[in-house]
Amino acid sequence: MPSSVESPRRAAAGPGRVPWIAMYHSVGDRADDPYRITVTPGRLERQLGWLRARGLRGVSVRELLAARARGQGHGLVGLTFDDGYADFLTGATDVLARWDCTATLFALPGRLGGDNAWDPLGPRKPLLTADGIRRAARAGVEIGSHGLTHVDLTRAEDLTLKAETVESRALLETLTGAPVTGFCYPYGRVDARAAEAVREAGYDYACAIAPGALTGPYALPRVYVGEHDTDLRLSLKYRLHRLRRRPAEGPR
């Protein structure tokens, strides 16, 4: 039997087995949304309803990969929420619960209670506090690391790269009292050096956006889902996912 550490990696990297993972950010008011990172709770409700009507259920990436490793991943898709916005608790948790879904929340322990200062155009959106992250974890949400402060790891110096991967994991584990096994690259940007740093930091998997030839356990591709993704658009995105290239051999 494969170990619990190795199983998710094999599930993510096996031939033709790239999992379908949706990428969300903020769930709330989108009156000012220049980066299109926000969906309203009503839109999220309809999108999860679309999944369930097709026999699909959204789960955390950790749960998805573990199920696939057991050969039981049919009908499961990954749901991820980047940056750890405070509106996750007010806009997403109740909706997820109503549809019997879970998710992975990628948080920034170096910006607890801060805001999205990395977005030059704004608007400023508050991030979860330490207590907010604990509340999300108690609600059954997987907590993963998005780094410490949301920097592009492909341009980071060695010390910064280590801090963003190693220290962020340690801080989140202290905060939640649970293992942190997933990582998400800020801006979705990954190169071989960043992927190796994540592997060395002890994570089981990492999410990107469109990692190309790096696709594998430490560079899982994701599908952007936004406010304008109606049933028809989601259907097209789900079908197009099947055309993805087979994953390359990822770092072990």
Side-chain angles (χ1 to χ4, degrees):
M1 290 290 292
S3 71
S4 60
V5 172
E6 289 296 327
S7 295
R9 298 177 188 179
R10 277 199 276 268
R17 292 173 60 87
V18 178
W20 198 83
I21 303 173
M23 177 182 67
Y24 289 92
H25 289 78
S26 170
V27 183
D29 179 15
R30 58 179 306 274
D32 186 9
D33 189 31
Y35 297 103
R36 297 186 302 157
I37 62 170
T38 306
V39 298
T40 60
R43 177 62 74 188
L44 178 63
E45 185 100 45
R46 291 189 288 275
Q47 290 167 345
L48 297 186
W50 176 88
L51 287 176
R52 301 300 272 149
R54 283 150 185 80
L56 302 172
R57 185 166 73 91
V59 297
S60 70
V61 179
R62 180 169 58 199
E63 182 178 346
L64 173 64
L65 298 183
R68 288 164 64 91
R70 300 190 302 268
Q72 300 174 345
H74 179 73
L76 299 181
V77 299
L79 299 179
T80 63
F81 292 80
D82 290 9
D83 304 331
Y85 290 103
D87 60 22
F88 179 83
L89 291 177
T90 57
T93 51
D94 286 349
V95 179
L96 290 166
R98 275 197 293 275
W99 291 101
D100 190 27
C101 291
T102 60
T104 300
L105 177 72
F106 291 114
L108 296 157
R111 292 188 182 272
L112 298 177
D115 59 32
N116 56 328
W118 60 87
D119 285 335
L121 297 181
R124 292 292 153 248
K125 285 179 169 283
L127 303 178
L128 289 168
T129 62
D131 182 63
I133 290 175
R134 285 191 288 263
R135 286 174 57 193
R138 288 196 297 268
V141 174
E142 177 193 8
I143 304 300
S145 172
H146 203 28
L148 275 175
T149 58
H150 206 287
V151 300
D152 183 350
L153 298 189
T154 65
R155 299 181 178 183
E157 296 180 354
D158 289 346
L159 288 178
T160 299
L161 181 59
K162 185 171 183 178
E164 292 284 331
T165 53
V166 176
E167 292 182 23
S168 64
R169 183 182 183 208
L171 286 170
L172 287 172
E173 289 184 337
T174 299
L175 187 62
T176 63
V180 171
T181 59
F183 188 88
C184 176
Y185 301 99
Y187 307 102
R189 296 172 189 160
V190 58
D191 58 14
R193 174 172 162 266
E196 178 63 15
V198 169
R199 185 194 69 80
E200 289 183 350
Y203 296 92
D204 285 351
Y205 73 86
C207 289
I209 295 181
L214 287 175
T215 297
Y218 292 102
L220 294 171
R222 293 181 297 164
V223 177
Y224 163 81
V225 179
E227 179 70 12
H228 298 298
D229 284 316
T230 59
D231 290 1
L232 176 59
R233 287 171 61 95
L234 284 176
S235 296
L236 290 172
K237 287 185 175 185
Y238 191 72
R239 291 173 184 173
L240 286 172
H241 174 72
R242 298 177 183 177
L243 302 178
R244 282 192 184 275
R245 59 180 300 282
R246 290 188 176 190
E249 188 74 9
R252 299 294 178 121

